[in-house]
């Protein structure tokens, strides 16, 4: 054990051991907002009442280890902690799967989480500095009706990979995915790595850090993109979007054609999928 480790270092080690992060431990401690845990994980020494809350929530953790740095982390142990990937939680469930990174946030004067917006020109910087409080502090902040409670972040859409569902410069409003095992298959996610910020559809849950994650585009001319789960630093689930794109009036002829297709007993979704899969590269879409 590092003799120079601080209480905040040991809290970070404890959370890694249990597969938790600031959001999930906030829920476990029963706090209304996660700002307290974010501050602790970024270096602020916890108060005595907070240490008591932690020890009550984690009865297996040694108070001597947490407060003084003496002895093993867990009561009854004589050695070091078991790596999180090999450890079950106290409830018997497999540990949470995520990057283990702390998500930097900003709060308003009332202590409520802000919704930061990441414009296209800031996304390269965000990929590298997403967990740095100074960088996040400089992002524009907004309030969006219906997204006042919880950890949300907005991202400006870049490119055409998700057309026709989402268009260039649309803004997606996302909720933070704390446990990758619980992502909703076939939903759209903002996938952050150290190299890029991508908007993709994920069709299969991530069961472990060793998984390969296949990222899908809604644009039929873009091929699926495989990515190692270990390369992902953040996942944000798209919950809504803001767009200045308004579709034109429906083509009456096309609508009538769809009615005929359905009247003949064909499934419209299957016909549409067949047309998209067999579209030529130069086809208008």
């Amino acid at each position: 054990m590092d003799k120079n480790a601080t209480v905040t270092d040991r809290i970070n080690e404890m959370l890694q051991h249990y597969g938790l992060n600031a959001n999930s431990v906030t829920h476990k401690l029963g706090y209304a907002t996660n700002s307290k845990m974010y501050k602790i994980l970024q270096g602020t020494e916890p108060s005595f009442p907070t240490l008591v809350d932690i020890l009550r929530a984690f009865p297996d953790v040694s108070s001597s280890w947490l407060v003084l740095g003496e002895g093993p982390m867990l009561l009854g142990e004589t050695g070091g902690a078991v790596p999180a990937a090999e450890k079950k939680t106290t409830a018997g469930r497999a540990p949470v799967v995520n990057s283990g990174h702390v998500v930097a946030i900003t709060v308003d004067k009332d202590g409520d989480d802000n919704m930061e917006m990441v414009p296209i020109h800031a996304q390269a910087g965000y990929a590298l500095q997403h967990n740095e409080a100074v960088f996040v502090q400089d992002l524009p902040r907004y309030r969006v009706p219906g997204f006042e409670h919880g950890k949300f972040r907005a991202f400006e859409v870049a490119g055409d990979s998700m057309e026709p569902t989402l268009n260039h410069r649309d803004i997606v409003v996302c909720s933070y995915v704390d446990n990758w095992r619980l992502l909703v298959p076939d939903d759209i996610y903002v996938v952050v790595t150290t190299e890029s910020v991508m908007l993709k559809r994920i069709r299969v849950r991530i069961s472990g850090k060793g998984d390969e994650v296949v990222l899908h585009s809604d644009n039929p001319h873009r091929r699926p993109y495989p990515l190692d789960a270990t390369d992902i630093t953040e996942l944000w689930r798209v919950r809504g979007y803001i767009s200045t794109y308004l579709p034109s009036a429906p083509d009456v002829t096309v609508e009538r054609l769809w009615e005929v297709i359905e009247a003949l007993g064909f499934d419209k979704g299957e016909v549409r999928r067949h047309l998209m899969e067999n579209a030529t590269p130069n086809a208008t879409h």
Side-chain angles (χ1 to χ4, degrees):
M1 180 181 295
D2 183 358
K3 297 298 183 182
N4 296 319
T6 64
V7 175
T8 56
D9 293 330
R10 289 191 288 276
I11 290 176
N12 268 293
E13 183 180 345
M14 183 193 76
L15 296 190
Q16 291 177 14
H17 172 71
Y18 285 105
L20 302 174
N21 62 17
N23 287 322
S24 50
V25 76
T26 293
H27 178 73
K28 186 174 180 65
L29 294 174
Y31 295 157
T33 65
N34 53 19
S35 56
K36 178 185 291 188
M37 289 309 303
Y38 278 117
K39 290 177 182 178
I40 291 173
L41 296 179
Q42 291 167 8
T44 301
E45 289 287 330
S47 64
F48 178 74
T50 301
L51 290 174
V52 172
D53 289 341
I54 291 173
L55 290 171
R56 284 176 174 167
F58 298 91
D60 292 338
V61 172
S62 164
S63 58
S64 296
W65 174 84
L66 181 64
V67 178
L68 303 176
E70 297 178 353
M73 177 195 299
L74 302 182
L75 295 173
E77 282 195 349
T78 57
V82 178
E86 301 174 10
K87 182 74 177 178
K88 298 290 184 178
T89 65
T90 55
R93 297 186 297 271
V96 171
V97 176
N98 55 41
S99 67
H101 291 218
V102 176
V103 179
I105 65 165
T106 62
V107 296
D108 62 17
K109 58 182 178 61
D110 297 320
D112 295 325
D113 293 350
N114 289 314
M115 179 189 294
E116 302 86 12
M117 202 275 277
V118 187
I120 292 173
H121 67 79
Q123 289 178 9
Y126 184 86
L128 294 173
Q129 305 175 71
H130 57 90
N131 61 345
E132 295 186 13
V134 174
F135 179 84
V136 175
Q137 181 69 36
D138 290 336
L139 294 173
R141 298 182 290 276
Y142 299 93
R143 290 288 180 190
V144 178
F147 298 93
E148 296 92 349
H149 305 291
K151 181 61 223 158
F152 298 101
R153 188 156 290 169
F155 296 83
E156 190 174 17
V157 177
D160 64 354
S161 70
M162 292 306 293
E163 290 184 358
T165 309
L166 295 164
N167 296 278
H168 182 63
R169 294 203 174 278
D170 284 352
I171 296 172
V172 291
V173 179
C174 311
S175 60
Y176 181 65
V177 182
D178 184 39
N179 185 357
W180 298 351
R181 291 178 184 271
L182 302 180
L183 65 77
V184 180
D186 283 328
D187 270 14
I188 300 174
Y189 292 84
V190 170
V191 183
V192 181
T193 72
T194 56
E195 297 180 350
S196 62
V197 176
M198 297 174 284
L199 183 68
K200 296 292 182 181
R201 196 177 295 276
I202 300 178
R203 293 180 174 161
V204 180
R205 287 191 178 97
I206 302 173
S207 59
K209 294 290 288 294
D211 287 3
E212 180 182 74
V213 183
V214 180
L215 307 179
H216 297 267
S217 300
D218 282 4
N219 186 331
H221 306 301
R222 298 295 186 93
R223 293 183 177 179
Y225 177 73
L227 180 71
D228 290 337
T230 52
D231 292 335
I232 299 174
T233 54
E234 286 181 1
L235 269 184
W236 297 83
R237 180 187 173 196
V238 175
R239 309 304 293 267
Y241 72 100
I242 302 168
S243 179
T244 58
Y245 172 79
L246 293 177
S248 58
D251 188 319
V252 176
T253 303
V254 173
E255 290 299 312
R256 179 58 184 155
L257 177 60
W258 283 122
E259 291 176 4
V260 171
I261 288 173
E262 290 183 324
L264 291 173
F266 294 99
D267 180 83
K268 185 165 70 172
E270 289 293 331
V271 173
R272 187 188 299 275
R273 184 158 44 252
H274 176 77
L275 292 173
M276 293 177 68
E277 289 175 352
N278 291 278
T280 61
N282 297 320
T284 303
H285 62 282

